[in-house]
């Protein structure tokens, strides 16, 4: 069994789409970044890479690389999932939290989970996405940015049923 953690933050700005967990969410502000800035997916990718001690997403997908400009982070997650399998590990479970003051994310959670399950070929009940505010405090509270963290566990070889 191996455990990994991931954390990411992106700045909220005007004239950018808000994409979280592969879901485009209607909101006056979106996340700034080289890719689609999907902060949740980035945290999960970093947790998967961390579990394997393979560095971070900056190392695997540099933001100087034109190919990753505005790219769909789910495509990058798919590559990281393949890397996990190449190392003869499978994903046991993923738990994650999005930290955002607004918008309300509950209506989008189910689709986020389904996007992650589909991208990583995972069965039900292995992916958890939660959301919290920080009660108006700090940079998430003032809506300067959105943060996400994730924890994953990997097991060698076959999935635990
Ligand atoms: Mg990021």
């Amino acid at each position: 069994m191996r455990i990994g953690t991931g954390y990411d933050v992106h700045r909220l700005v005007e004239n950018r789409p808000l994409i979280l967990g592969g879901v485009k969410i209607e909101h006056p502000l979106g996340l700034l970044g080289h890719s689609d800035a999907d902060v949740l997916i980035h945290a999960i990718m970093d947790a998967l890479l961390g579990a394997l001690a393979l560095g971070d997403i900056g190392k695997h997908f540099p933001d100087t690389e034109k190919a990753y400009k505005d790219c769909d982070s789910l495509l990058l997650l798919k590559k990281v999932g393949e890397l996990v399998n190449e190392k003869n590990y499978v994903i046991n479970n993923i738990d994650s939290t999005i930290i955002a003051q607004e918008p309300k994310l509950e209506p989008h959670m189910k689709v986020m989970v389904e996007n992650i399950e589909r991208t990583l070929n995972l069965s039900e009940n292995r992916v958890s996405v939660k959301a919290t505010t920080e009660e108006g405090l700090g940079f998430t509270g003032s809506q300067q940015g959105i943060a996400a963290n994730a924890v994953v566990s990997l097991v060698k070889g076959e999935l635990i049923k």
Side-chain angles (χ1 to χ4, degrees):
M1 164 87 72
R2 297 187 71 113
I3 308 288
T5 73
Y7 176 71
D8 195 25
V9 171
H10 281 266
R11 188 182 290 272
L12 277 167
V13 295
E14 290 179 349
N15 302 314
R16 281 278 296 185
L18 178 60
I19 297 170
L20 292 170
V23 181
K24 192 172 176 188
I25 297 168
E26 281 304 315
H27 194 56
L29 302 173
L31 294 172
L32 183 64
H34 183 69
S35 65
D36 65 4
D38 191 328
V39 68
L40 172 64
I41 299 301
H42 292 183
I44 291 172
M45 287 164 62
D46 251 359
L48 290 168
L49 291 169
L52 293 169
L54 286 176
D56 56 33
I57 60 172
K59 177 181 162 187
H60 289 263
F61 309 105
D63 64 8
T64 49
E65 184 66 57
K66 275 199 197 119
Y68 306 134
K69 178 98 179 82
D70 295 323
C71 91
D72 179 352
S73 292
L74 289 176
L75 296 176
L76 305 182
L77 178 64
K78 192 173 177 58
K79 288 186 185 182
V80 173
E82 287 164 1
L83 204 56
V84 170
N85 298 143
E86 277 169 27
K87 298 285 177 187
N88 295 318
Y89 278 89
V90 291
I91 296 166
N92 180 56
N93 78 304
I94 297 173
D95 187 19
S96 61
T97 306
I98 303 167
I99 303 153
Q101 191 66 33
E102 285 186 14
K104 281 271 169 273
L105 298 176
E106 210 285 322
H108 307 288
M109 295 301 207
K110 189 165 176 283
V111 182
M112 290 186 205
V113 168
E114 287 168 357
N115 284 343
I116 297 162
E117 286 172 345
R118 187 184 61 249
T119 302
L120 294 171
N121 286 318
L122 295 175
S123 55
E124 266 182 64
N125 296 319
R126 292 191 184 276
V127 177
S128 154
V129 178
K130 313 185 300 297
T132 187
T133 71
E134 289 185 307
E135 301 283 342
L137 297 168
F139 70 83
T140 68
S142 59
Q143 296 184 63
Q144 289 178 281
I146 291 179
N149 60 46
V151 176
V152 307
S153 66
L154 309 181
V155 289
K156 198 94 183 166
E158 294 295 300
L159 269 182
I160 301 168
K161 298 286 179 194

